[in-house]
Amino acid sequence: MHRRHPEIDPQLLSETEEQRELRTVLRDFFTEVSGPEDVRKHLATPRGHDEAVWARLAGEIGVHGLAIPEEYGGSGFTFAELAVALEESGRALYCAPLLPTVVLAAHALLGSGDRQACARYLPRIADGTLTATVADFHDEEPGISAEPGAGGPVLRGAADFVLDGAGADLILVRARTAEGLRLFACEPVPDTCVRTPHRVLDETRRQARVEFHGAPATPVGESGDVTAALDAGRAALAAEQVGGSGHALDATVEFVAQRHQFGRPIGSFQAVKHRLADVLVALEAARSVSSYATACVAIASPQLPVAASAAAAVCSETFRLATAEYVQLHGGIGFTWEHPAHLYVRRARGSEVLFGTADRHRARIADLIGLAPPSAA
């Protein structure tokens, strides 16, 4: 049973001077390279993002290696610094695969304790030359099995809705073996790995079905437990959602101050003020729960499962509310391609089910803290 009053140093919940400077640099960077027109342009490309910008983000700013130890080519900072980058990327709707590569795959490798695998892949993740993703990382039995092959283990089965599954250079797979669940690294090749892109609501976050037909793979670590990596992904997604919600609120406030009706700005009407105040209150709550989840990842707190699920539930609902008001207080224009609001609506709707719905996370929290389900009447 988890403690009801977890002990977290309050300083971990506050932004440091270095993190504020990083935020400023990243906001300027994303303003330059990830405006609405840039996002639309990249959606039409084969890879879904600008690979030159991806290289700049890794090389000039060092985002990819922020939370990777120096011994593996990273900067040796913590998840707190990476969360700043994720929040700013979410604010700009940056559509490159930061979440699957820099968070899910990198944290799965670090959590595996496999130094050889970390030394092989993490330096290339840190310098931006390797994109990676994960498959069958969820709470259910995986649909992929690993069996002995002539040259080592091979994978068989399929995983659906794999983030960046059609383009990633490396796939970390949780698979069944005769001894139990294990983690494997697979560098996909067309003859043994069929990758079919899905058409999804949020085209800024590509997903695919990945089928393994005897694909060679390398065992990673000794365990198939990926809970910590998944919870890091939930905390990362929460930071993204806070950034997207912040953009939606700021853009709407700016619009209602400029749009006039009956001879006055519509933002001066009490009903509009109340709706924006509701978004602001929700956003502040989301910032708080996201900061707490970030701190738990950064210090590997045992409270991480509770914090990650709380952040997932609160931040997804806040992002949905903020984007709904983004559309409605712009007079419904967000339903057209001419305005960026619809891109944020799609990201919000896609993100809220990415690692489980809000209801599932609330149920998980209840289970983690020992709340018994209500008895039948």
Side-chain angles (χ1 to χ4, degrees):
M1 181 172 174
H2 285 245
R3 292 171 60 90
R4 297 297 181 92
H5 303 287
E7 297 176 359
I8 290 286
D9 185 346
Q11 289 187 343
L12 294 175
L13 306 178
S14 301
E15 200 166 74
T16 66
E17 183 61 33
E18 282 186 334
Q19 290 165 3
R20 281 191 289 271
E21 291 176 0
L22 176 62
R23 184 180 300 280
T24 300
V25 169
L26 285 165
R27 187 162 299 185
D28 290 343
F29 178 81
F30 285 126
T31 298
E32 173 194 345
V33 303
S34 188
E37 293 307 315
D38 297 305
V39 172
R40 290 192 182 96
K41 180 178 68 176
H42 298 152
L43 294 183
T45 64
R47 194 63 182 88
H49 66 273
D50 189 327
E51 295 184 74
V53 172
W54 176 261
R56 286 183 60 195
L57 192 63
E60 294 179 17
I61 305 177
V63 166
H64 300 54
L66 282 172
I68 293 177
E70 291 181 277
E71 65 177 304
Y72 298 125
S75 303
F77 288 101
T78 71
F79 188 81
E81 284 72 31
L82 181 56
V84 171
L86 292 162
E87 183 178 336
E88 291 304 314
S89 73
R91 184 182 182 89
L93 218 65
Y94 181 55
C95 49
L98 276 176
L99 179 61
T101 299
V102 179
V103 181
L104 292 169
H107 279 77
L109 286 166
L110 288 168
S112 73
D114 189 325
R115 295 179 61 84
Q116 184 176 358
C118 287
R120 181 175 182 179
Y121 297 118
L122 288 177
R124 288 191 285 157
I125 288 178
D127 67 17
T129 58
L130 180 78
T131 57
T133 190
V134 300
D136 261 359
F137 276 35
H138 46 66
D139 300 327
E140 301 170 358
E141 187 73 10
I144 301 169
S145 61
E147 57 189 48
V154 295
L155 301 175
R156 299 191 184 278
D160 226 342
F161 296 102
V162 177
L163 295 175
D164 197 37
D169 305 312
L170 170 71
I171 305 176
L172 295 177
V173 182
R174 190 179 67 124
R176 304 186 310 272
T177 71
E179 294 77 30
L181 298 179
R182 289 285 302 274
L183 188 63
F184 294 86
C186 175
E187 298 181 42
V189 293
D191 57 340
T192 58
C193 185
V194 178
R195 304 194 277 179
T196 307
H198 280 306
R199 184 177 182 183
V200 290
L201 179 66
D202 175 20
E203 294 180 335
T204 67
R205 201 189 306 276
R206 296 195 171 184
Q207 300 180 49
R209 177 177 175 83
V210 181
E211 300 176 22
F212 299 95
H213 303 283
T218 304
V220 175
E222 299 296 330
S223 169
D225 185 5
V226 295
T227 303
L230 263 177
D231 282 333
R234 291 172 178 129
L237 184 61
E240 271 193 14
Q241 291 168 323
V242 167
S245 300
H247 163 83
L249 178 59
D250 290 348
T252 306
V253 168
E254 181 181 3
F255 177 78
V256 300
Q258 296 174 351
R259 173 72 182 272
H260 282 65
Q261 192 69 271
F262 305 111
R264 56 192 284 198
I266 64 172
S268 66
F269 297 126
Q270 193 169 31
V272 174
K273 290 180 180 179
H274 286 173
R275 290 172 69 167
L276 291 174
D278 287 343
V279 176
L280 177 60
V281 170
L283 178 55
E284 289 305 307
R287 288 190 193 281
S288 295
V289 73
S290 174
S291 295
Y292 178 59
T294 292
C296 286
V297 178
I299 65 172
S301 168
Q303 290 294 323
L304 175 58
V306 172
S309 279
V314 172
C315 295
S316 63
E317 292 183 342
T318 296
F319 198 13
R320 181 170 183 157
L321 170 65
T323 54
E325 296 293 29
Y326 192 6
V327 170
Q328 293 300 315
L329 293 178
H330 276 74
I333 194 172
F335 289 108
T336 71
W337 285 100
E338 286 74 19
H339 197 277
H342 81 94
L343 295 171
Y344 286 85
V345 171
R346 289 166 183 256
R347 173 65 71 89
R349 295 298 176 87
S351 296
E352 69 180 327
V353 297
L354 197 57
F355 298 125
T357 63
D359 287 344
R360 288 190 64 179
H361 285 296
R362 291 191 179 95
R364 183 189 186 211
I365 293 169
D367 182 60
L368 287 167
I369 65 177
L371 290 178
S375 58

